[in-house]
């Protein structure tokens, strides 16, 4: 079942989907057609059903407002487009021609109606599905190469372009120097001294530590000389809360959107860094090895050193082969304290009873 597509149809009361699926609302025990104008239920309270019979079978009652049983035939074009979604999902590699063939339409007609109903082209839809799979692969801990092939990407350089786009990085979104963008920032206290957190409308663009605010502000201006830089704590509250908690060892996972410029190589390194588990370290040469080229150790070290978002991209978890901490852009003492806090927090968790 195409739950994202269905959910979008529900949020837009799209009557073209009436008859193609039904939504059941767990909290009320009612099921509706997609176009029902009753109050929009929360996403997590909804189940989708292919037929009203299936909805009733699971104990739901028909909505009195939209009378889901009374709807006659379904829109044949919507049915075809949903069939195409299924084919794309099915892991087979289909061309547009192949998809059009499967539902008995011309590629041109399918392309147009698919975009009209789903909102993106079949190609974009397929790419998004592959990216979902890739992300699942990463979360499940399969290694990067396997994740690439599992998700059906032919070449890894294309994958990383997509990864950048989809993992919240938008490297081409603004010109060098931040021309034409507004950056909001704030400076506050954390366990490692003063911390600056800065964002564009899309995500974090700078997280840095220093002992005094002037140095942090100067550095931000140096990084984005052409941007319009405005101090505004209110739009950064969520980001700051998460990051400060993370540094204090009270929140292990940081999953914040990024808006950073990077070369393809930096992107690959930074993506790997984000996979290093909390409280663990790897060496520069291990990263180089994971990237498929042992000789790139120095390039890896440079990519780590050019990280502009401290902690969010955890370059502090990369150490020398002998375990020495080597360098850190924001001072090796901070690196040491970060890693020590992570180890403590990890140990503390271990000692808790496992059935909590
Ligand atoms: Zn209803």
């Amino acid at each position: 079942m195409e739950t994202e597509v269905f959910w979008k149809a529900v949020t837009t009361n799209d009557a073209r989907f009436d008859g193609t699926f039904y939504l059941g609302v767990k909290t009320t025990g009612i099921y509706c057609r997609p176009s029902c104008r009753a109050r929009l239920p929360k996403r997590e309270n909804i189940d989708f059903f292919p037929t009203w019979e299936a909805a009733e079978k699971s104990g739901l009652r028909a909505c009195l407002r939209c009378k889901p049983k009374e709807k006659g035939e379904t829109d044949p074009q919507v049915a075809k487009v949903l069939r195409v979604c299924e084919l794309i999902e099915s892991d087979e590699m289909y061309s547009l021609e192949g998809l059009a063939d499967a539902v008995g339409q011309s590629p041109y007609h399918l392309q147009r109606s698919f975009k009209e109903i789903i909102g993106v082209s079949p190609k974009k839809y397929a790419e998004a599905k592959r990216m979902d799979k890739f992300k699942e692969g990463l979360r499940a801990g399969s290694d990067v190469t396997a994740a690439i092939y599992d998700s059906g990407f032919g070449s890894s350089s294309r994958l990383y372009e997509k990864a950048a786009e989809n993992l919240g990085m938008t490297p081409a979104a603004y010109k060098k120097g931040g021309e034409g963008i507004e950056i909001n920032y704030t400076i506050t206290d954390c366990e490692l001294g003063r911390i600056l957190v800065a964002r564009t409308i899309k995500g974090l663009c700078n997280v840095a530590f220093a002992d005094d605010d002037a140095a942090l502000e100067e550095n931000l201006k140096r990084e984005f000389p052409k941007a319009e830089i405005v101090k505004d704590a209110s739009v950064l509250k969520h980001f700051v809360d998460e990051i400060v908690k993370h540094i204090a060892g009270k929140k292990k996972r940081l999953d914040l959107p990024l808006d950073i410029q990077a070369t393809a190589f930096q992107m690959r390194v930074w993506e790997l860094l984000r996979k290093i588990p909390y409280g663990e370290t790897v060496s520069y040469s291990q990263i180089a090895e994971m990237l498929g080229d042992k000789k790139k150790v120095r390039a890896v070290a440079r990519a780590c050193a050019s990280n502009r978002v401290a902690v969010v991209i955890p370059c502090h978890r990369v150490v020398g082969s002998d375990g020495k901490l080597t360098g850190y852009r924001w001072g090796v003492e901070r690196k040491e304290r970060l890693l020590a806090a992570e180890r403590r927090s990890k140990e503390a968790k271990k000692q808790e009873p496992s059935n909590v």
Side-chain angles (χ1 to χ4, degrees):
M1 300 271 279
E2 298 303 324
T3 51
E4 289 158 43
V5 170
F6 291 170
W7 173 239
K8 187 167 157 260
V10 170
T11 56
T12 54
N13 300 120
D14 194 336
R16 291 175 304 182
F17 285 82
D18 284 358
T20 56
F21 73 90
Y22 300 82
L23 61 137
V25 186
K26 285 178 228 169
T27 41
T28 57
I30 302 282
Y31 72 93
C32 288
R33 60 174 78 185
S35 68
C36 182
R37 297 270 165 183
R39 210 165 68 88
L40 183 69
K42 282 192 180 145
R43 173 69 189 86
E44 66 263 28
N45 293 331
I46 290 183
D47 286 322
F48 295 111
F49 298 93
T51 60
W52 64 261
E53 288 91 342
E56 294 211 340
K57 224 177 181 176
S58 79
L60 297 164
R61 283 168 296 118
C63 170
L64 295 174
R65 193 161 169 186
C66 64
K67 303 192 172 66
K69 270 198 248 188
E70 284 175 26
K71 165 77 184 174
E73 69 275 42
T74 61
D75 182 337
Q77 191 56 52
V78 171
K80 280 181 183 177
V81 163
L82 288 176
R83 172 76 189 125
V84 168
C85 288
E86 264 175 40
L87 289 174
I88 290 173
E89 281 260 352
S90 73
D91 268 344
E92 304 267 8
M93 295 296 241
Y94 279 96
S95 63
L96 180 63
E97 283 74 11
L99 292 168
D101 227 345
V103 293
Q105 272 185 335
S106 76
Y108 172 77
H109 189 182
L110 175 65
Q111 172 90 356
R112 227 183 44 180
S113 58
F114 193 97
K115 198 159 177 203
E116 201 205 328
I117 290 163
I118 305 295
V120 295
S121 68
K123 192 176 158 201
K124 271 264 151 64
Y125 185 79
E127 277 173 358
K129 287 290 150 195
R130 282 204 293 274
M131 186 46 65
D132 286 349
K133 274 191 198 157
F134 176 62
K135 285 200 238 174
E136 271 167 35
L138 289 185
R139 260 184 240 118
S142 75
D143 74 42
V144 176
T145 320
I148 290 167
Y149 288 107
D150 288 347
S151 55
F153 281 84
S155 92
S156 58
S157 72
R158 233 185 115 242
L159 171 84
Y160 282 106
E161 276 167 35
K162 284 281 138 199
E165 216 175 275
N166 289 284
L167 292 166
M169 297 191 196
T170 52
Y174 50 87
K175 292 188 190 130
K176 232 182 159 72
E179 197 178 342
I181 58 158
E182 183 180 317
I183 291 175
N184 294 122
Y185 77 97
T186 187
I187 299 177
T188 184
D189 277 317
C190 73
E191 305 217 335
L192 302 175
R194 298 294 280 170
I195 181 172
L196 174 142
V197 181
R199 64 171 294 180
T200 69
I201 193 155
K202 291 191 169 151
L204 290 166
C205 60
N206 192 203
V207 177
F209 303 109
D211 294 325
D212 71 290
D213 296 11
L216 288 167
E217 282 169 343
E218 246 168 62
N219 176 64
L220 181 65
K221 282 187 187 126
R222 222 178 12 250
E223 295 276 2
F224 305 98
K226 291 176 186 158
E228 189 190 333
I229 296 178
V230 181
K231 194 166 189 174
D232 183 351
S234 64
V235 297
L236 285 147
K237 191 175 179 314
H238 171 68
F239 290 115
V240 170
D241 285 352
E242 297 272 294
I243 293 167
V244 169
K245 264 192 236 161
H246 182 79
I247 292 166
K250 288 172 191 153
K251 183 172 185 6
K252 287 189 187 170
R253 272 190 67 82
L254 268 187
D255 207 1
L256 302 171
L258 297 174
D259 186 6
I260 46 180
Q261 285 189 308
T263 64
F265 183 77
Q266 285 172 327
M267 193 89 64
R268 295 175 66 195
V269 174
W270 294 346
E271 265 312 305
L272 281 176
L273 299 188
R274 291 180 89 185
K275 287 176 62 197
I276 306 171
Y278 185 90
E280 306 283 336
T281 56
V282 300
S283 70
Y284 297 97
S285 54
Q286 279 173 315
I287 298 266
E289 222 168 292
M290 283 186 246
L291 291 170
D293 190 348
K294 281 186 195 172
K295 294 192 293 287
K296 291 239 164 99
V297 179
R298 291 180 63 145
V300 166
R302 269 200 305 277
C304 292
S306 56
N307 177 21
R308 263 179 240 103
V309 283
V311 182
V312 184
I313 294 177
C315 61
H316 61 279
R317 294 186 195 138
V318 191
V319 299
S321 304
D322 51 4
K324 278 213 184 93
L325 296 191
T326 63
Y328 188 50
R329 188 171 180 174
W330 298 281
V332 84
E333 194 200 325
R334 287 197 179 90
K335 183 172 182 173
E336 197 173 353
R337 287 171 60 186
L338 271 171
L339 290 172
E342 291 190 5
R343 276 193 300 270
R344 269 200 310 277
S345 167
K346 224 176 95 180
E347 286 305 312
K349 266 274 176 303
K350 266 187 205 157
Q351 282 155 24
E352 284 171 15
S354 58
N355 58 350
V356 177

